[in-house]
Amino acid sequence: MVPKGSTVRFACVECGQDYSRWMGYCPSCSSQTPLVEHEVPKEAAGRWRGFASAAGGGGAKPVAWKEVDTAAAPRRPLGIPELDRVLGGGVVPGSAVLVAGEPGAGKSTLLLQLAAAAAASGDPVLYVSGEESEHQLKLRGERLGLQPDSLLLFSETSMPRILDAAESAQPRLLVLDSVQCVHSPEISGAPGTVTQVRESAASLVLYAKATRVPVFIIGHVNKDGAIAGPRTLEHMVDTVLHFEGDRKQSHRLLRAVKNRFGAAGELGVFEMTGQGLLPVQNPSELFLTGGDPQPGSAVVCTLEGTRPLLAEIQVLLAESPLAYPRRVPVGFDSGRLAVLLAVLETGGGGGLLRSDVYVSVTGGLSVTEPAADLGLLAAVVSRRRGVPVPPGVVFIGEVGLSGEVRPVHQAGVRLREAARLGYERAVMNPGGTRAQERPPEIELVAAKTLSDALAVVG
């Protein structure tokens, strides 16, 4: 039964679009998920609307570009170098950051460490949890060796009470774990529904803008790996960070999917230990297996945001009993793999029509950049010939459909990273790379065609 003074609406769980009638799909985003019914009070004045009025003050007016002072609001380092890197050098006052990831990835652990590091300055930091009590939060903090005296813990799921506590405490930083657990009494529906998630997130975003207090929000993900709740949740916040990594491995990857104040695609690498998540100072060594060179293995240099990373691509070939051999990539795009193998076959260096091809990027890293094309084909040829790639060689280049090797952007950054890790030769198309960008300790093997590059394999 619909409460008096309420209106029944239907919302899309993917994009959050509202409709007056039920449909089995969303015309706005073409999602095939049926619309979800929810109730909207006619006088829905959520707690966050008070902050909207306070921010505007009723007498707001446009401000000239030259009169806006950005020097008065510099970025604040958070005390965790990898997190500062992903955010673009620190957190911007008044920004809203959404951190999402699978259960057990380490979201709560990282943000508890973040809150403790921010509280080390003596300013109050408010950590709100709708999933754990204050006692449980402190037990977890003691296990991690944290002793932040100015960290305030608050176990609450009511949005008005959370905002009242924030107004009273006036923290330097606010952390909410998680947005799917809180609710606003003015809005009908259980916590986690489309309306509740959207209104709760809007409350926190407007609180951050009105008070210039950075807000970190933890979000759950669904079975497809997307952030649970309406898609508008990602549009409302300033930064979206995704936690990636297999729970069976020790390292975790924190990737900036969206960042209004920095580079999207920036990557931070952490290691999960008994003392929590520790920043990895040299991620390239984490993704390299080391040891003696083996056939079917090649090292590539990929760029994640502004950070160069060296990774090892391994290839296994096996005779296939099937009419259509399998192509199984792990950490590499399957469509891109099929295209590259077709280019290799056309150029006469394949012989893979009756072979299953298995590709794996070591360390659990996902390589999506075309600059890894040349290294993948070098690993395939190395496995087919049974000859390992000479030690100290790194492959950098995109392969075109006609077999040409194309130059890559920021080649100097990649070469310096390879030289720092002791690599002596780089196989690539130098293109417009200036001489001053090339480290003297690394030899540049010019390769404009695929046959030139694969001659290095032997």
Side-chain angles (χ1 to χ4, degrees):
M1 182 176 179
V2 181
K4 187 177 181 180
S6 299
T7 305
V8 175
R9 301 284 294 181
F10 301 90
C12 173
V13 297
E14 297 293 338
C15 67
Q17 183 67 36
D18 272 350
Y19 300 94
S20 59
R21 62 187 180 89
W22 183 89
M23 288 178 283
Y25 72 103
C26 176
S28 177
C29 66
S30 300
S31 171
Q32 298 302 311
T33 304
L35 303 183
V36 178
E37 178 182 337
H38 66 99
E39 302 164 6
V40 180
K42 294 181 179 179
E43 302 296 332
R47 181 70 174 86
W48 62 274
R49 301 182 192 276
F51 284 105
S53 302
K61 61 180 181 179
V63 182
W65 177 281
K66 61 181 179 181
E67 296 178 4
V68 178
D69 185 13
T70 57
R75 293 179 182 270
R76 299 175 183 172
L78 297 172
I80 302 179
E82 287 297 298
L83 184 56
D84 288 335
R85 165 192 280 274
V86 175
L87 293 174
V91 65
V92 175
S95 62
V97 182
L98 176 64
V99 182
E102 295 184 356
K107 305 182 297 297
S108 300
T109 300
L110 177 64
L111 290 191
L112 184 59
Q113 292 180 249
L114 161 66
S121 62
D123 297 328
V125 173
L126 180 59
Y127 189 102
V128 181
S129 176
E131 302 176 349
E132 299 176 272
S133 66
E134 292 91 346
H135 181 71
Q136 291 172 324
L137 289 171
K138 185 174 181 180
L139 285 177
R140 182 151 55 91
E142 290 177 343
R143 180 176 58 84
L144 300 176
L146 306 178
Q147 294 180 345
D149 295 333
S150 59
L151 177 60
L152 305 176
L153 305 178
F154 190 34
S155 179
E156 183 57 66
T157 58
S158 174
M159 204 66 229
R161 294 178 184 174
I162 293 173
L163 295 176
D164 288 339
E167 283 185 290
S168 176
Q170 296 185 350
R172 175 193 174 189
L173 185 74
L174 172 63
V175 178
L176 174 65
D177 182 10
S178 65
V179 70
Q180 279 82 11
C181 294
V182 298
H183 71 282
S184 297
E186 298 90 350
I187 307 299
S188 62
T193 58
V194 173
T195 308
Q196 288 287 1
V197 170
R198 182 175 57 210
E199 294 294 319
S200 298
S203 303
L204 292 170
V205 171
L206 289 171
Y207 165 79
K209 306 306 177 186
T211 61
R212 304 189 66 78
V213 174
V215 174
F216 282 77
I217 307 170
I218 293 180
H220 297 167
V221 297
N222 54 31
K223 61 182 180 180
D224 297 325
I227 299 176
R231 195 62 183 267
T232 51
L233 177 62
E234 299 178 53
H235 294 289
M236 285 189 291
V237 298
D238 301 306
T239 305
V240 179
L241 306 181
H242 264 283
F243 235 141
E244 305 172 2
D246 190 347
R247 282 180 288 178
K248 298 178 181 178
Q249 298 183 1
S250 61
H251 67 273
R252 301 288 189 272
L253 307 179
L254 184 65
R255 192 184 305 272
V257 179
K258 169 189 174 182
N259 193 353
R260 288 174 179 161
F261 311 114
E266 197 67 64
L267 186 72
V269 184
F270 296 86
E271 183 180 5
M272 179 66 78
T273 67
Q275 288 73 42
L277 288 162
L278 301 180
V280 177
Q281 302 297 331
N282 194 353
S284 294
E285 293 183 350
L286 184 66
F287 301 117
L288 298 175
T289 58
D292 297 331
Q294 300 292 331
S297 177
V299 176
V300 300
C301 187
T302 182
L303 209 61
E304 297 287 347
T306 60
R307 160 176 277 175
L309 289 177
L310 267 67
E312 185 175 341
I313 297 181
Q314 295 181 342
V315 172
L316 175 64
L317 304 180
E319 185 177 353
S320 177
L322 305 175
Y324 298 96
R326 288 183 289 256
R327 307 291 188 248
V328 184
V330 177
F332 201 88
D333 182 67
S334 57
R336 189 68 182 169
L337 173 62
V339 171
L340 292 175
L341 294 179
V343 172
L344 189 62
E345 287 288 348
T346 305
L352 306 173
L353 295 178
R354 299 299 305 166
S355 299
D356 292 332
V357 180
Y358 302 90
V359 176
S360 175
V361 182
T362 59
L365 184 68
S366 294
V367 176
T368 58
E369 196 187 19
D373 292 351
L374 191 58
L376 172 66
L377 293 183
V380 172
V381 173
S382 170
R383 171 63 70 175
R384 180 175 177 272
R385 297 176 181 176
V387 178
V389 174
V393 177
V394 59
F395 294 87
I396 308 172
E398 177 184 357
V399 178
L401 294 181
S402 59
E404 77 277 12
V405 178
R406 298 174 181 172
V408 298
H409 68 286
Q410 298 192 18
V413 175
R414 303 172 194 263
L415 291 174
R416 286 192 293 271
E417 176 68 10
R420 186 181 67 85
L421 292 176
Y423 284 83
E424 302 170 351
R425 288 194 293 170
V427 182
M428 61 180 293
N429 185 342
T433 307
R434 295 187 296 270
Q436 57 268 28
E437 295 180 350
R438 307 174 186 174
E441 59 270 26
I442 190 169
E443 176 189 353
L444 204 61
V445 180
K448 295 186 177 181
T449 64
L450 185 58
S451 58
D452 295 338
L454 297 181
V456 178
V457 178

